[in-house]
Amino acid sequence: LFLERSPMSHCKDPEKFVTAMAEIVDEAQKQRVTFSNTEVAQLLMKVFNTLRENRVKLDANFAAVILSIMVIEGTYER
């Protein structure tokens, strides 16, 4: 979805990007990620870094959701 909805993506190797994103998802699934046992902001930073490294521009709707989650995570006291 990131690639399909990317406005003007400059991704030179879409397969590499898809593989990197799949690794992030697989790692999260192996750790049984939940909001209570994971710093969601760290997980999302991995996503942002992968987007940046592969030059995939983020659709504004995705960006708004991700940034909102990061803000909520930052204000949530454990």
Side-chain angles (χ1 to χ4, degrees):
L1 283 174
F2 284 127
L3 284 175
E4 288 175 14
R5 299 192 182 186
S6 175
M8 300 181 58
S9 175
H10 298 289
C11 184
K12 293 183 179 172
D13 190 350
E15 288 182 29
K16 177 185 170 198
F17 172 71
V18 169
T19 300
M21 292 300 288
E23 288 174 1
I24 292 171
V25 171
D26 289 344
E27 180 182 328
Q29 287 178 332
K30 285 179 188 171
Q31 295 175 3
R32 298 210 176 248
V33 170
T34 64
F35 284 107
S36 63
N37 73 358
T38 302
E39 291 203 28
V40 177
Q42 285 183 333
L43 182 62
L44 294 175
M45 283 306 297
K46 288 180 185 179
V47 171
F48 273 130
N49 286 335
T50 302
L51 289 163
R52 181 182 48 79
E53 290 166 3
N54 289 277
R55 301 182 69 188
V56 176
K57 300 233 185 242
L58 191 58
D59 176 76
N61 293 321
F62 284 132
V65 170
I66 291 172
L67 290 173
S68 296
I69 292 170
M70 292 176 77
V71 168
I72 291 168
E73 163 98 356
T75 59
Y76 175 73
E77 293 183 32
R78 292 176 191 233

